[in-house]
PDB file of all heavy atoms in Angstrom:
ATOM      1  N   MET A 290     -14.370  -4.522 -10.489  1.00 96.00           N
ATOM      2  CA  MET A 290     -13.436  -5.456  -9.854  1.00 96.00           C
ATOM      3  C   MET A 290     -14.203  -6.690  -9.357  1.00 96.00           C
ATOM      4  O   MET A 290     -13.726  -7.817  -9.476  1.00 96.00           O
ATOM      5  CB  MET A 290     -12.715  -4.781  -8.688  1.00 96.00           C
ATOM      6  CG  MET A 290     -11.793  -3.666  -9.122  1.00 96.00           C
ATOM      7  SD  MET A 290     -11.201  -2.677  -7.730  1.00 96.00           S
ATOM      8  CE  MET A 290     -10.071  -3.810  -6.943  1.00 96.00           C
ATOM      9  N   PHE A 291     -15.373  -6.447  -8.780  1.00 95.00           N
ATOM     10  CA  PHE A 291     -16.237  -7.548  -8.340  1.00 95.00           C
ATOM     11  C   PHE A 291     -16.536  -8.460  -9.531  1.00 95.00           C
ATOM     12  O   PHE A 291     -16.400  -9.681  -9.444  1.00 95.00           O
ATOM     13  CB  PHE A 291     -17.529  -6.960  -7.762  1.00 95.00           C
ATOM     14  CG  PHE A 291     -18.523  -7.983  -7.295  1.00 95.00           C
ATOM     15  CD1 PHE A 291     -18.503  -8.449  -5.988  1.00 95.00           C
ATOM     16  CD2 PHE A 291     -19.504  -8.466  -8.150  1.00 95.00           C
ATOM     17  CE1 PHE A 291     -19.427  -9.394  -5.550  1.00 95.00           C
ATOM     18  CE2 PHE A 291     -20.422  -9.407  -7.727  1.00 95.00           C
ATOM     19  CZ  PHE A 291     -20.392  -9.865  -6.418  1.00 95.00           C
ATOM     20  N   ASP A 292     -16.915  -7.845 -10.650  1.00 94.00           N
ATOM     21  CA  ASP A 292     -17.242  -8.632 -11.843  1.00 94.00           C
ATOM     22  C   ASP A 292     -16.032  -9.435 -12.320  1.00 94.00           C
ATOM     23  O   ASP A 292     -16.160 -10.568 -12.777  1.00 94.00           O
ATOM     24  CB  ASP A 292     -17.727  -7.720 -12.983  1.00 94.00           C
ATOM     25  CG  ASP A 292     -19.111  -7.137 -12.689  1.00 94.00           C
ATOM     26  OD1 ASP A 292     -19.770  -7.619 -11.748  1.00 94.00           O
ATOM     27  OD2 ASP A 292     -19.507  -6.193 -13.399  1.00 94.00           O
ATOM     28  N   HIS A 293     -14.839  -8.835 -12.202  1.00 95.00           N
ATOM     29  CA  HIS A 293     -13.651  -9.565 -12.650  1.00 95.00           C
ATOM     30  C   HIS A 293     -13.357 -10.744 -11.718  1.00 95.00           C
ATOM     31  O   HIS A 293     -12.944 -11.806 -12.170  1.00 95.00           O
ATOM     32  CB  HIS A 293     -12.426  -8.652 -12.758  1.00 95.00           C
ATOM     33  CG  HIS A 293     -11.292  -9.338 -13.472  1.00 95.00           C
ATOM     34  ND1 HIS A 293     -11.286  -9.560 -14.829  1.00 95.00           N
ATOM     35  CD2 HIS A 293     -10.157  -9.917 -12.997  1.00 95.00           C
ATOM     36  CE1 HIS A 293     -10.200 -10.232 -15.172  1.00 95.00           C
ATOM     37  NE2 HIS A 293      -9.487 -10.463 -14.068  1.00 95.00           N
ATOM     38  N   MET A 294     -13.604 -10.543 -10.422  1.00 97.00           N
ATOM     39  CA  MET A 294     -13.400 -11.655  -9.490  1.00 97.00           C
ATOM     40  C   MET A 294     -14.375 -12.798  -9.807  1.00 97.00           C
ATOM     41  O   MET A 294     -14.014 -13.974  -9.751  1.00 97.00           O
ATOM     42  CB  MET A 294     -13.572 -11.162  -8.048  1.00 97.00           C
ATOM     43  CG  MET A 294     -12.874 -12.040  -7.040  1.00 97.00           C
ATOM     44  SD  MET A 294     -12.852 -11.368  -5.363  1.00 97.00           S
ATOM     45  CE  MET A 294     -11.427 -10.318  -5.397  1.00 97.00           C
ATOM     46  N   VAL A 295     -15.595 -12.432 -10.159  1.00 97.00           N
ATOM     47  CA  VAL A 295     -16.578 -13.445 -10.565  1.00 97.00           C
ATOM     48  C   VAL A 295     -16.090 -14.180 -11.820  1.00 97.00           C
ATOM     49  O   VAL A 295     -16.194 -15.409 -11.915  1.00 97.00           O
ATOM     50  CB  VAL A 295     -17.960 -12.792 -10.831  1.00 97.00           C
ATOM     51  CG1 VAL A 295     -18.961 -13.826 -11.338  1.00 97.00           C
ATOM     52  CG2 VAL A 295     -18.483 -12.107  -9.571  1.00 97.00           C
ATOM     53  N   ALA A 296     -15.511 -13.417 -12.742  1.00 95.00           N
ATOM     54  CA  ALA A 296     -15.029 -14.026 -13.990  1.00 95.00           C
ATOM     55  C   ALA A 296     -13.849 -14.968 -13.713  1.00 95.00           C
ATOM     56  O   ALA A 296     -13.734 -16.035 -14.338  1.00 95.00           O
ATOM     57  CB  ALA A 296     -14.616 -12.933 -14.982  1.00 95.00           C
ATOM     58  N   VAL A 297     -12.975 -14.582 -12.792  1.00 96.00           N
ATOM     59  CA  VAL A 297     -11.846 -15.447 -12.409  1.00 96.00           C
ATOM     60  C   VAL A 297     -12.380 -16.746 -11.811  1.00 96.00           C
ATOM     61  O   VAL A 297     -11.927 -17.850 -12.157  1.00 96.00           O
ATOM     62  CB  VAL A 297     -10.916 -14.720 -11.402  1.00 96.00           C
ATOM     63  CG1 VAL A 297      -9.940 -15.703 -10.751  1.00 96.00           C
ATOM     64  CG2 VAL A 297     -10.151 -13.591 -12.094  1.00 96.00           C
ATOM     65  N   GLU A 298     -13.358 -16.611 -10.926  1.00 97.00           N
ATOM     66  CA  GLU A 298     -13.956 -17.803 -10.299  1.00 97.00           C
ATOM     67  C   GLU A 298     -14.555 -18.723 -11.365  1.00 97.00           C
ATOM     68  O   GLU A 298     -14.356 -19.939 -11.347  1.00 97.00           O
ATOM     69  CB  GLU A 298     -15.043 -17.382  -9.306  1.00 97.00           C
ATOM     70  CG  GLU A 298     -15.641 -18.554  -8.550  1.00 97.00           C
ATOM     71  CD  GLU A 298     -16.993 -18.229  -7.921  1.00 97.00           C
ATOM     72  OE1 GLU A 298     -17.809 -17.528  -8.570  1.00 97.00           O
ATOM     73  OE2 GLU A 298     -17.239 -18.660  -6.791  1.00 97.00           O
ATOM     74  N   GLU A 299     -15.263 -18.126 -12.317  1.00 96.00           N
ATOM     75  CA  GLU A 299     -15.912 -18.894 -13.384  1.00 96.00           C
ATOM     76  C   GLU A 299     -14.866 -19.669 -14.203  1.00 96.00           C
ATOM     77  O   GLU A 299     -15.035 -20.853 -14.504  1.00 96.00           O
ATOM     78  CB  GLU A 299     -16.693 -17.914 -14.275  1.00 96.00           C
ATOM     79  CG  GLU A 299     -17.229 -18.478 -15.578  1.00 96.00           C
ATOM     80  CD  GLU A 299     -18.408 -19.427 -15.359  1.00 96.00           C
ATOM     81  OE1 GLU A 299     -19.125 -19.208 -14.371  1.00 96.00           O
ATOM     82  OE2 GLU A 299     -18.555 -20.386 -16.154  1.00 96.00           O
ATOM     83  N   ARG A 300     -13.780 -18.977 -14.550  1.00 94.00           N
ATOM     84  CA  ARG A 300     -12.729 -19.596 -15.371  1.00 94.00           C
ATOM     85  C   ARG A 300     -12.075 -20.761 -14.618  1.00 94.00           C
ATOM     86  O   ARG A 300     -11.866 -21.832 -15.155  1.00 94.00           O
ATOM     87  CB  ARG A 300     -11.686 -18.532 -15.710  1.00 94.00           C
ATOM     88  CG  ARG A 300     -10.984 -18.748 -17.031  1.00 94.00           C
ATOM     89  CD  ARG A 300      -9.965 -17.653 -17.318  1.00 94.00           C
ATOM     90  NE  ARG A 300     -10.331 -16.356 -16.802  1.00 94.00           N
ATOM     91  CZ  ARG A 300      -9.444 -15.506 -16.277  1.00 94.00           C
ATOM     92  NH1 ARG A 300      -8.176 -15.816 -16.195  1.00 94.00           N
ATOM     93  NH2 ARG A 300      -9.827 -14.323 -15.849  1.00 94.00           N
ATOM     94  N   LEU A 301     -11.765 -20.529 -13.343  1.00 95.00           N
ATOM     95  CA  LEU A 301     -11.111 -21.578 -12.555  1.00 95.00           C
ATOM     96  C   LEU A 301     -12.054 -22.762 -12.339  1.00 95.00           C
ATOM     97  O   LEU A 301     -11.650 -23.918 -12.456  1.00 95.00           O
ATOM     98  CB  LEU A 301     -10.664 -21.017 -11.197  1.00 95.00           C
ATOM     99  CG  LEU A 301      -9.501 -20.019 -11.246  1.00 95.00           C
ATOM    100  CD1 LEU A 301      -9.325 -19.350  -9.879  1.00 95.00           C
ATOM    101  CD2 LEU A 301      -8.218 -20.711 -11.664  1.00 95.00           C
ATOM    102  N   GLY A 302     -13.326 -22.459 -12.035  1.00 95.00           N
ATOM    103  CA  GLY A 302     -14.290 -23.531 -11.783  1.00 95.00           C
ATOM    104  C   GLY A 302     -14.519 -24.378 -13.014  1.00 95.00           C
ATOM    105  O   GLY A 302     -14.555 -25.612 -12.947  1.00 95.00           O
ATOM    106  N   THR A 303     -14.644 -23.717 -14.169  1.00 93.00           N
ATOM    107  CA  THR A 303     -14.868 -24.426 -15.425  1.00 93.00           C
ATOM    108  C   THR A 303     -13.676 -25.320 -15.761  1.00 93.00           C
ATOM    109  O   THR A 303     -13.825 -26.403 -16.306  1.00 93.00           O
ATOM    110  CB  THR A 303     -15.102 -23.405 -16.562  1.00 93.00           C
ATOM    111  OG1 THR A 303     -16.185 -22.558 -16.164  1.00 93.00           O
ATOM    112  CG2 THR A 303     -15.441 -24.090 -17.871  1.00 93.00           C
ATOM    113  N   ASN A 304     -12.480 -24.843 -15.423  1.00 91.00           N
ATOM    114  CA  ASN A 304     -11.269 -25.606 -15.733  1.00 91.00           C
ATOM    115  C   ASN A 304     -10.983 -26.715 -14.721  1.00 91.00           C
ATOM    116  O   ASN A 304      -9.986 -27.415 -14.839  1.00 91.00           O
ATOM    117  CB  ASN A 304     -10.049 -24.673 -15.787  1.00 91.00           C
ATOM    118  CG  ASN A 304     -10.078 -23.802 -17.023  1.00 91.00           C
ATOM    119  OD1 ASN A 304     -10.878 -24.019 -17.925  1.00 91.00           O
ATOM    120  ND2 ASN A 304      -9.213 -22.813 -17.062  1.00 91.00           N
ATOM    121  N   GLY A 305     -11.804 -26.842 -13.699  1.00 92.00           N
ATOM    122  CA  GLY A 305     -11.604 -27.939 -12.749  1.00 92.00           C
ATOM    123  C   GLY A 305     -10.632 -27.637 -11.630  1.00 92.00           C
ATOM    124  O   GLY A 305     -10.226 -28.541 -10.895  1.00 92.00           O
ATOM    125  N   ALA A 306     -10.261 -26.376 -11.483  1.00 94.00           N
ATOM    126  CA  ALA A 306      -9.253 -26.047 -10.470  1.00 94.00           C
ATOM    127  C   ALA A 306      -9.775 -26.154  -9.044  1.00 94.00           C
ATOM    128  O   ALA A 306      -8.987 -26.240  -8.102  1.00 94.00           O
ATOM    129  CB  ALA A 306      -8.719 -24.629 -10.714  1.00 94.00           C
ATOM    130  N   PHE A 307     -11.107 -26.161  -8.854  1.00 94.00           N
ATOM    131  CA  PHE A 307     -11.656 -26.156  -7.491  1.00 94.00           C
ATOM    132  C   PHE A 307     -11.839 -27.569  -6.914  1.00 94.00           C
ATOM    133  O   PHE A 307     -11.979 -27.722  -5.703  1.00 94.00           O
ATOM    134  CB  PHE A 307     -13.016 -25.447  -7.445  1.00 94.00           C
ATOM    135  CG  PHE A 307     -12.955 -23.987  -7.779  1.00 94.00           C
ATOM    136  CD1 PHE A 307     -14.053 -23.332  -8.326  1.00 94.00           C
ATOM    137  CD2 PHE A 307     -11.798 -23.248  -7.536  1.00 94.00           C
ATOM    138  CE1 PHE A 307     -14.007 -21.981  -8.631  1.00 94.00           C
ATOM    139  CE2 PHE A 307     -11.743 -21.891  -7.836  1.00 94.00           C
ATOM    140  CZ  PHE A 307     -12.848 -21.256  -8.392  1.00 94.00           C
ATOM    141  N   ALA A 308     -11.903 -28.583  -7.787  1.00 90.00           N
ATOM    142  CA  ALA A 308     -12.081 -29.947  -7.285  1.00 90.00           C
ATOM    143  C   ALA A 308     -10.838 -30.318  -6.484  1.00 90.00           C
ATOM    144  O   ALA A 308      -9.721 -30.170  -6.954  1.00 90.00           O
ATOM    145  CB  ALA A 308     -12.273 -30.904  -8.449  1.00 90.00           C
ATOM    146  N   TYR A 309     -11.043 -30.809  -5.274  1.00 84.00           N
ATOM    147  CA  TYR A 309      -9.895 -31.050  -4.414  1.00 84.00           C
ATOM    148  C   TYR A 309     -10.158 -32.254  -3.528  1.00 84.00           C
ATOM    149  O   TYR A 309     -11.168 -32.310  -2.832  1.00 84.00           O
ATOM    150  CB  TYR A 309      -9.623 -29.806  -3.554  1.00 84.00           C
ATOM    151  CG  TYR A 309      -8.685 -30.054  -2.405  1.00 84.00           C
ATOM    152  CD1 TYR A 309      -7.340 -30.320  -2.645  1.00 84.00           C
ATOM    153  CD2 TYR A 309      -9.137 -30.046  -1.093  1.00 84.00           C
ATOM    154  CE1 TYR A 309      -6.472 -30.569  -1.601  1.00 84.00           C
ATOM    155  CE2 TYR A 309      -8.274 -30.289  -0.043  1.00 84.00           C
ATOM    156  CZ  TYR A 309      -6.949 -30.563  -0.304  1.00 84.00           C
ATOM    157  OH  TYR A 309      -6.093 -30.807   0.731  1.00 84.00           O
ATOM    158  N   ASP A 310      -9.231 -33.185  -3.571  1.00 77.00           N
ATOM    159  CA  ASP A 310      -9.278 -34.333  -2.676  1.00 77.00           C
ATOM    160  C   ASP A 310     -10.620 -35.054  -2.845  1.00 77.00           C
ATOM    161  O   ASP A 310     -11.022 -35.381  -3.947  1.00 77.00           O
ATOM    162  CB  ASP A 310      -9.054 -33.844  -1.237  1.00 77.00           C
ATOM    163  CG  ASP A 310      -8.447 -34.933  -0.367  1.00 77.00           C
ATOM    164  OD1 ASP A 310      -8.110 -35.993  -0.925  1.00 77.00           O
ATOM    165  OD2 ASP A 310      -8.322 -34.736   0.841  1.00 77.00           O
ATOM    166  N   GLU A 311     -11.330 -35.274  -1.755  1.00 72.00           N
ATOM    167  CA  GLU A 311     -12.627 -35.957  -1.832  1.00 72.00           C
ATOM    168  C   GLU A 311     -13.742 -34.985  -2.205  1.00 72.00           C
ATOM    169  O   GLU A 311     -14.876 -35.392  -2.416  1.00 72.00           O
ATOM    170  CB  GLU A 311     -12.982 -36.578  -0.481  1.00 72.00           C
ATOM    171  CG  GLU A 311     -11.976 -37.612   0.014  1.00 72.00           C
ATOM    172  CD  GLU A 311     -11.940 -38.831  -0.898  1.00 72.00           C
ATOM    173  OE1 GLU A 311     -13.005 -39.410  -1.143  1.00 72.00           O
ATOM    174  OE2 GLU A 311     -10.836 -39.166  -1.382  1.00 72.00           O
ATOM    175  N   GLU A 312     -13.409 -33.711  -2.239  1.00 70.00           N
ATOM    176  CA  GLU A 312     -14.432 -32.683  -2.439  1.00 70.00           C
ATOM    177  C   GLU A 312     -14.780 -32.590  -3.920  1.00 70.00           C
ATOM    178  O   GLU A 312     -14.133 -31.866  -4.669  1.00 70.00           O
ATOM    179  CB  GLU A 312     -13.910 -31.337  -1.916  1.00 70.00           C
ATOM    180  CG  GLU A 312     -14.873 -30.183  -2.048  1.00 70.00           C
ATOM    181  CD  GLU A 312     -16.203 -30.458  -1.404  1.00 70.00           C
ATOM    182  OE1 GLU A 312     -16.344 -30.260  -0.188  1.00 70.00           O
ATOM    183  OE2 GLU A 312     -17.115 -30.881  -2.154  1.00 70.00           O
ATOM    184  N   GLN A 313     -15.787 -33.353  -4.349  1.00 81.00           N
ATOM    185  CA  GLN A 313     -16.144 -33.331  -5.760  1.00 81.00           C
ATOM    186  C   GLN A 313     -17.345 -32.421  -6.038  1.00 81.00           C
ATOM    187  O   GLN A 313     -17.769 -32.287  -7.176  1.00 81.00           O
ATOM    188  CB  GLN A 313     -16.415 -34.756  -6.258  1.00 81.00           C
ATOM    189  CG  GLN A 313     -15.134 -35.593  -6.371  1.00 81.00           C
ATOM    190  CD  GLN A 313     -14.040 -34.910  -7.184  1.00 81.00           C
ATOM    191  OE1 GLN A 313     -14.267 -34.440  -8.297  1.00 81.00           O
ATOM    192  NE2 GLN A 313     -12.828 -34.826  -6.621  1.00 81.00           N
ATOM    193  N   SER A 314     -17.880 -31.780  -4.988  1.00 88.00           N
ATOM    194  CA  SER A 314     -18.997 -30.871  -5.237  1.00 88.00           C
ATOM    195  C   SER A 314     -18.517 -29.603  -5.936  1.00 88.00           C
ATOM    196  O   SER A 314     -19.313 -28.792  -6.375  1.00 88.00           O
ATOM    197  CB  SER A 314     -19.691 -30.504  -3.926  1.00 88.00           C
ATOM    198  OG  SER A 314     -18.809 -29.773  -3.104  1.00 88.00           O
ATOM    199  N   MET A 315     -17.182 -29.447  -6.023  1.00 93.00           N
ATOM    200  CA  MET A 315     -16.647 -28.282  -6.723  1.00 93.00           C
ATOM    201  C   MET A 315     -16.084 -28.665  -8.089  1.00 93.00           C
ATOM    202  O   MET A 315     -15.336 -27.909  -8.696  1.00 93.00           O
ATOM    203  CB  MET A 315     -15.552 -27.610  -5.891  1.00 93.00           C
ATOM    204  CG  MET A 315     -16.052 -26.943  -4.626  1.00 93.00           C
ATOM    205  SD  MET A 315     -14.763 -25.899  -3.946  1.00 93.00           S
ATOM    206  CE  MET A 315     -15.339 -25.679  -2.273  1.00 93.00           C
ATOM    207  N   ALA A 316     -16.411 -29.864  -8.569  1.00 92.00           N
ATOM    208  CA  ALA A 316     -15.945 -30.292  -9.891  1.00 92.00           C
ATOM    209  C   ALA A 316     -16.661 -29.481 -10.974  1.00 92.00           C
ATOM    210  O   ALA A 316     -17.729 -28.913 -10.720  1.00 92.00           O
ATOM    211  CB  ALA A 316     -16.235 -31.779 -10.054  1.00 92.00           C
ATOM    212  N   PRO A 317     -16.082 -29.414 -12.188  1.00 92.00           N
ATOM    213  CA  PRO A 317     -16.741 -28.667 -13.271  1.00 92.00           C
ATOM    214  C   PRO A 317     -18.183 -29.139 -13.450  1.00 92.00           C
ATOM    215  O   PRO A 317     -18.455 -30.336 -13.412  1.00 92.00           O
ATOM    216  CB  PRO A 317     -15.881 -29.011 -14.500  1.00 92.00           C
ATOM    217  CG  PRO A 317     -14.549 -29.344 -13.940  1.00 92.00           C
ATOM    218  CD  PRO A 317     -14.805 -29.999 -12.603  1.00 92.00           C
ATOM    219  N   GLY A 318     -19.078 -28.182 -13.590  1.00 90.00           N
ATOM    220  CA  GLY A 318     -20.487 -28.508 -13.769  1.00 90.00           C
ATOM    221  C   GLY A 318     -21.239 -28.698 -12.468  1.00 90.00           C
ATOM    222  O   GLY A 318     -22.462 -28.746 -12.455  1.00 90.00           O
ATOM    223  N   LYS A 319     -20.503 -28.826 -11.353  1.00 93.00           N
ATOM    224  CA  LYS A 319     -21.173 -29.056 -10.061  1.00 93.00           C
ATOM    225  C   LYS A 319     -21.054 -27.864  -9.113  1.00 93.00           C
ATOM    226  O   LYS A 319     -21.936 -27.641  -8.293  1.00 93.00           O
ATOM    227  CB  LYS A 319     -20.558 -30.285  -9.370  1.00 93.00           C
ATOM    228  CG  LYS A 319     -20.864 -31.592 -10.049  1.00 93.00           C
ATOM    229  CD  LYS A 319     -20.363 -32.739  -9.173  1.00 93.00           C
ATOM    230  CE  LYS A 319     -20.678 -34.084  -9.789  1.00 93.00           C
ATOM    231  NZ  LYS A 319     -20.048 -35.174  -9.048  1.00 93.00           N
TER     232      LYS A 319
END
Side-chain angles (χ1 to χ4, degrees):
M290 294 169 72
F291 179 90
D292 290 347
H293 191 74
M294 203 172 275
V295 176
V297 167
E298 184 199 40
E299 169 72 30
R300 210 180 327 142
L301 290 170
T303 305
N304 288 349
F307 295 153
Y309 166 69
D310 207 6
E311 300 295 306
E312 181 55 84
Q313 288 308 310
S314 65
M315 292 193 198
K319 291 188 178 172

